[in-house]
């Protein structure tokens, strides 16, 4: 709408005629500046425009096209839109949005009202009926009535008023319904893409930092020609351990010349990395293929919330550089496999095993023996921990103590058994101490010894281990393993500690979560048996489920037979990830139950496929 066609109207020129109930004009009041758009005023008579003949009587100089303009203004006045659960309308004559409480509160048609007034009210009511959309366009444009010229409109405000008007008209006429739920899939997809891009940017920035060292770091970190000396910055930083007779100047020089590869930047690798960097190890390698997750932060203290989603090796490397710029850090964002193990181990003086799976332990041990490198190994689970040193000063290696790997189903890791965050912190600190003693050539190492830590007591126990096995397959006098082998097949497990679903049942004995939901709606009687430990069952559970742990079931089969006397009754077994439930189905089959099934994927699949709000731990 062209603002030039809106005249300068004085509200005092109009008023309701109390005798006739209509509208009257005060012809004695002039309307100066009739065609000055910058001085336009709003006619606010109960939110409605006066009748057409009243406007015409006050504006004798209007051209014949003016009545049509008044009707257009009345139509514009009647446009209504729901914005943030309140009714608003666009008023002509000023750039302001007035509010109504509810559509029902709008003015009804009074008796004996002029025709144009009736038409305006009808237009408003019709617009209310057509407007079914709920949409937020913008915040209302409020203009103060107190400041002089507050109702004057700039060109930008007029454009905004016009644009808003046309949006209102389109919504009213089209009777369109905007439903944000229709766009939820696109929003989710874009969010995932955004997170992936953020992760990739973080990786590229970290790699760029590795290739482009800071000038100040280069000035501080000694090169190969100065590894035999300590500069003033190093003497000042490590002064408290330099004055120890056990370390001294010579021990610190040895520490500075040493290089350590830490395999695993998790619960054990975090304290080891920080304390080795604090002690002044000259070169530290961090190897980990995994990315930081929120569930890692309670024990992997080297990472931050801002590191979630980026590689652990990159996150740990950044933390070490911020902690001690005198130390050189090398990140290896890769898995430790038979393809790269020997090449990586040969580049460092001491190897730290901070992993959490059997296959990698055998691989690290064999690589260290074949490369003749000492291995500082540790483990932490629940409230217990242990530390030892393999293949050092004539001591045994890992294979000397464990020639054959245990069955995969008997091995419990932190993901399944849990761990208190401080336990790997304590054990990792002892690991770091052993590395420092080996690097400095001081003290007595834990070679041929095993330190056991019991956090519940608390108690430390030192156990003497068997000496090196002369018939060991790797470090014996006549070794049969002279190269790295396929440790996945050897151990029956992978190189990572990620949770995996085993398959020990026939496919016909397993159903998906969707199949269980369909059966649930069918109405047939059944028993849902949750075979997790009670401590996990207390975290979350499905409705109508009964809890009998797999351990208790095998310890006392009468628990099951008393609970489910009918061995032909349909039973669904459920656990956290679908592994223990398979064992439960197999055990119940041995007890004579004929109609028992496993729910594949367990509660993890339930949260992923059925109920995204179901807790995941």
């Amino acid at each position: 709408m062209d603002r030039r066609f809106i005249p300068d109207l004085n509200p005092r020129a109009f008023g309701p005629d109390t005798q006739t109930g209509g509208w009257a004009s005060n012809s004695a009041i002039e309307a100066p500046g009739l065609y000055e758009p910058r001085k336009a005023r709003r006619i606010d008579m109960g939110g409605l425009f006066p009748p057409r003949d009243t406007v015409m009587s006050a504006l004798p100089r209007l051209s014949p096209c003016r009545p049509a303009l008044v009707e257009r203004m009345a139509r514009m006045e009647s446009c209504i839109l729901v914005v943030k659960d309140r009714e608003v309308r666009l008023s002509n004559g000023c750039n302001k949005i007035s509010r109504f409480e509810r559509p029902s509160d709008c003015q009804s048609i009074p008796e004996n009202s002029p025709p144009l007034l009736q038409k305006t009210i009808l237009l408003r009511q019709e617009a209310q009926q057509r407007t079914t959309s709920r949409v937020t366009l913008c915040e209302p444009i409020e203009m103060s009535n107190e400041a002089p010229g507050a109702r004057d409109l700039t060109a930008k405000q007029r454009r905004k008023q016009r644009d808003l008007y046309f949006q209102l008209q389109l919504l009213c006429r089209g009777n369109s319904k905007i439903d944000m739920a229709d766009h939820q899939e696109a929003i989710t997809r874009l969010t995932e893409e955004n997170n992936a891009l953020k992760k990739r940017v973080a990786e590229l920035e970290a790699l760029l930092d590795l290739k482009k060292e800071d000038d100040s770091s280069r000035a501080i970190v000694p090169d190969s020609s100065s590894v035999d000396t300590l500069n003033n910055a190093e003497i000042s930083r490590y002064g408290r351990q330099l004055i120890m007779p056990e370390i001294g100047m010579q021990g610190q020089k040895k520490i500075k010349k040493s290089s350590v590869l830490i395999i695993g930047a998790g619960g054990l690798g975090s304290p080891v990395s920080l304390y080795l960097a604090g002690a002044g190890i000259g070169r530290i390698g961090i190897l980990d293929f995994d990315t930081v997750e929120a569930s890692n932060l309670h024990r992997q203290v080297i990472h931050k919330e801002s590191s979630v989603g980026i590689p652990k090796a990159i996150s740990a490397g950044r933390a070490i550089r911020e902690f001690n710029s005198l130390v050189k850090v090398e990140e290896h964002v890769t898995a430790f496999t038979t393809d790269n193990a020997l090449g990586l181990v040969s580049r460092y003086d001491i190897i730290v095993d901070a992993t959490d799976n059997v296959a990698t332990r055998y691989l690290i041990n064999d690589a260290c023996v074949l490369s003749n490198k000492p291995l500082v190994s540790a483990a932490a689970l629940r409230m217990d921990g242990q530390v030892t040193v393999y293949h050092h000063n004539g001591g045994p290696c890992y294979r000397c103590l464990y020639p054959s790997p245990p069955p995969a189903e008997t091995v419990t890791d932190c993901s399944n058994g849990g761990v208190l965050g401080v336990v790997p912190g304590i054990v990792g600190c002892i690991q770091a101490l052993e590395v420092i003693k080996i690097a400095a050539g001081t003290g007595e190492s834990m070679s041929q010894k095993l330190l056991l830590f019991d956090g519940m007591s608390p108690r430390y126990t030192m156990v003497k281990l068997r000496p090196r096995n002369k018939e060991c397959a790797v470090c014996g006098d006549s070794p049969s393993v002279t190269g790295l082998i396929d440790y996945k097949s050897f151990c029956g497990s992978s190189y990572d500690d990620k949770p995996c679903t085993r398959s020990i049942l026939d496919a016909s004995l397993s159903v998906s979560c969707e199949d269980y939901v369909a059966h649930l709606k069918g109405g047939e009687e059944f028993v849902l048996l949750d075979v997790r430990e009670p401590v996990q069952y207390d975290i979350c559970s499905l409705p109508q489920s009964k809890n009998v742990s797999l351990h208790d079931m095998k310890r006392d089969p009468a628990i099951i037979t008393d609970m489910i006397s009918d061995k032909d009754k349909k039973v669904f077994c459920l656990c956290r990830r679908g592994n223990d439930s398979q064992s439960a189905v197999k055990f119940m089959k041995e007890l004579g139950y004929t109609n028992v099934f496993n729910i594949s994927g367990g509660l993890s699949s339930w949260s992923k496929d059925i109920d995204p709000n179901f807790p995941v731990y």
Side-chain angles (χ1 to χ4, degrees):
M1 180 183 298
D2 196 332
R3 183 62 184 166
R4 293 173 300 174
F5 293 149
I6 300 179
D8 186 351
L9 300 178
N10 192 329
R12 294 178 297 172
F14 305 94
D17 190 337
T18 56
Q19 296 181 357
T20 63
W23 292 79
S25 65
N26 189 350
S27 59
I29 299 177
E30 298 294 335
L34 186 61
Y35 297 107
E36 297 178 15
R38 296 291 296 175
K39 296 182 180 180
R41 295 292 183 267
R42 176 175 182 263
I43 306 173
D44 193 356
M45 304 298 294
L48 298 175
F49 276 38
R52 183 184 306 176
D53 53 355
T54 306
V55 176
M56 294 302 297
S57 64
L59 304 174
R61 288 179 289 175
L62 282 174
S63 63
C65 68
R66 297 305 183 188
L69 172 62
V70 174
E71 183 175 349
R72 288 171 58 195
M73 294 168 67
R75 288 181 179 276
M76 183 175 176
E77 177 72 12
S78 65
C79 294
I80 298 174
L81 181 67
V82 179
V83 178
K84 295 184 177 179
D85 297 330
R86 63 178 182 268
E87 292 292 342
V88 302
R89 60 185 173 82
L90 180 65
S91 300
N92 289 285
C94 72
N95 198 11
K96 179 180 178 181
I97 295 180
S98 304
R99 301 188 181 97
F100 288 110
E101 293 299 328
R102 290 292 176 188
S104 59
D105 298 332
C106 295
Q107 183 177 353
S108 60
I109 302 176
E111 297 181 0
N112 301 324
S113 58
L116 185 56
L117 176 60
Q118 298 180 20
K119 184 175 182 180
T120 302
I121 296 177
L122 289 174
L123 284 171
R124 173 174 292 163
Q125 294 175 350
E126 181 183 352
Q128 292 176 4
Q129 295 175 359
R130 289 198 304 264
T131 307
T132 59
S133 301
R134 287 188 175 269
V135 57
T136 300
L137 296 177
C138 62
E139 290 295 326
I141 306 171
E142 296 291 349
M143 300 182 66
S144 173
N145 293 330
E146 299 176 359
R151 297 186 183 278
D152 292 352
L153 298 175
T154 63
K156 183 177 181 180
Q157 291 172 332
R158 289 197 296 273
R159 287 195 300 271
K160 185 176 291 187
Q161 180 188 20
R162 184 172 61 251
D163 294 340
L164 181 59
Y165 164 70
F166 285 126
Q167 293 181 53
L168 295 172
Q169 288 285 19
L170 288 174
L171 285 171
C172 293
R173 294 175 181 175
N175 196 23
S176 60
K177 192 170 185 178
I178 301 176
D179 188 1
M180 291 303 295
D182 295 341
H183 306 288
Q184 190 62 39
E185 182 178 353
I187 293 173
T188 302
R189 178 176 54 82
L190 291 175
T191 302
E192 293 176 353
E193 293 179 358
N194 186 42
N195 293 335
L197 288 174
K198 287 182 179 180
K199 176 181 176 181
R200 183 55 180 164
V201 168
E203 293 177 359
L204 293 176
E205 288 178 347
L207 293 175
L208 184 61
D209 292 340
L210 292 178
K211 296 179 181 179
K212 186 178 181 180
E213 296 182 357
D214 186 75
D215 293 338
S216 59
S217 298
R218 292 190 179 189
I220 295 176
V221 177
D223 55 23
S224 58
S225 61
S226 61
V227 293
D228 294 330
T229 61
L230 298 179
N231 57 37
N232 291 342
E234 293 167 330
I235 293 174
S236 175
R237 186 181 188 105
Y238 309 126
R240 296 300 182 273
Q241 62 193 46
L242 282 172
I243 61 177
M244 294 174 52
E246 295 84 358
I247 300 294
M249 195 68 173
Q250 298 303 317
Q252 188 63 40
K253 290 179 181 179
K254 294 179 181 178
I255 292 174
K256 179 180 177 179
K257 292 176 61 176
S258 300
S259 58
V260 179
L261 174 62
I262 304 171
I263 304 176
L268 294 171
S270 293
V272 172
S273 302
L274 292 174
Y275 277 100
L276 292 184
I281 294 291
R283 183 164 57 94
I284 299 176
I286 306 290
L287 186 145
D288 202 308
F289 73 96
D290 202 2
T291 57
V292 181
E293 299 177 359
S295 61
N296 303 145
L297 301 180
H298 87 287
R299 66 190 184 279
Q300 301 178 14
V301 295
I302 201 171
H303 309 298
K304 305 176 182 178
E305 288 185 353
S306 59
S307 302
V308 172
I310 70 174
K312 290 183 179 180
I314 300 297
S315 174
R318 287 179 177 176
I320 293 174
R321 289 189 181 91
E322 293 176 358
F323 179 54
N324 188 355
S325 59
L326 301 173
V327 174
K328 184 177 181 180
V329 185
E330 299 173 349
E331 294 98 332
H332 305 282
V333 186
T334 181
F336 193 75
T337 65
T338 55
D339 297 329
N340 59 17
L342 291 177
L344 289 169
V345 168
S346 62
R347 294 170 52 187
Y348 297 89
D349 301 324
I350 305 170
I351 310 302
V352 175
D353 181 3
T355 61
D356 193 23
N357 66 91
V358 177
T360 305
R361 290 191 184 278
Y362 276 97
L363 171 59
I364 295 174
N365 175 82
D366 292 359
C368 287
V369 173
L370 295 175
S371 302
N372 195 26
K373 299 296 175 71
L375 172 61
V376 181
S377 181
L381 183 67
R382 295 173 180 165
M383 298 287 286
D384 302 320
Q386 61 184 37
V387 185
T388 189
V389 177
Y390 294 121
H391 192 63
H392 179 59
N393 289 341
C397 73
Y398 186 70
R399 276 187 185 258
C400 292
L401 306 178
Y402 309 102
S404 301
E409 61 272 12
T410 64
V411 179
T412 303
D413 55 20
C414 293
S415 178
N416 294 312
V419 64
L420 186 64
V422 69
V423 173
I426 294 172
V427 176
C429 287
I430 299 175
Q431 259 187 301
L433 176 60
E434 290 302 303
V435 173
I436 294 171
K437 290 192 299 181
I438 295 174
T442 185
E444 183 180 353
S445 73
M446 289 188 187
S447 178
Q448 203 174 338
K449 300 175 184 177
L450 178 66
L451 177 64
L452 301 176
F453 169 69
D454 180 3
M456 288 296 292
S457 300
R459 181 174 61 246
Y460 290 90
T461 304
M462 185 69 74
V463 178
K464 186 176 181 180
L465 301 177
R466 295 191 300 268
R468 180 180 71 90
N469 185 3
K470 296 182 179 180
E471 297 181 358
C472 177
V474 179
C475 70
D477 295 339
S478 301
S480 58
V481 178
T482 57
L484 301 181
I485 62 175
D486 183 359
Y487 295 90
K488 291 183 179 181
S489 301
F490 179 66
C491 300
S493 59
S494 61
Y495 290 130
D496 60 71
D497 55 358
K498 289 292 185 181
C500 60
T501 301
R502 300 189 300 270
S503 180
I504 61 176
L505 291 178
D506 186 84
S508 61
L509 297 178
S510 295
V511 298
S512 65
C513 292
E514 292 85 352
D515 294 337
Y516 170 73
V517 171
H519 185 85
L520 187 64
K521 296 178 180 179
E524 183 181 356
E525 292 187 2
F526 64 91
V527 175
L528 177 60
L529 193 61
D530 193 323
V531 299
R532 295 175 297 158
E533 294 294 328
V535 65
Q536 296 189 39
Y537 187 79
D538 290 340
I539 299 174
C540 56
S541 60
L542 293 184
Q544 303 178 359
S545 62
K546 298 181 179 181
N547 180 227
V548 178
S549 69
L550 178 63
H551 176 267
D552 292 341
M553 183 188 304
K554 292 184 176 181
R555 178 180 57 82
D556 186 6
I559 298 177
I560 291 296
T561 56
D562 293 342
M563 178 184 294
I564 310 173
S565 57
D566 184 4
K567 294 190 176 182
D568 293 329
K569 191 171 186 177
K570 181 168 287 188
V571 178
F572 292 98
C573 291
L574 176 73
C575 68
R576 183 183 178 190
R577 297 191 177 106
N579 293 326
D580 288 347
S581 55
Q582 293 186 62
S583 300
V585 170
K586 186 176 180 180
F587 182 74
M588 292 184 68
K589 285 286 186 181
E590 296 174 356
L591 294 179
Y593 289 90
T594 60
N595 206 12
V596 57
F597 300 92
N598 165 59
I599 298 181
S600 299
L603 294 176
S604 296
S605 294
W606 182 271
S607 177
K608 179 181 178 181
D609 302 330
I610 305 299
D611 183 7
N613 295 322
F614 194 82
V616 177
Y617 60 95

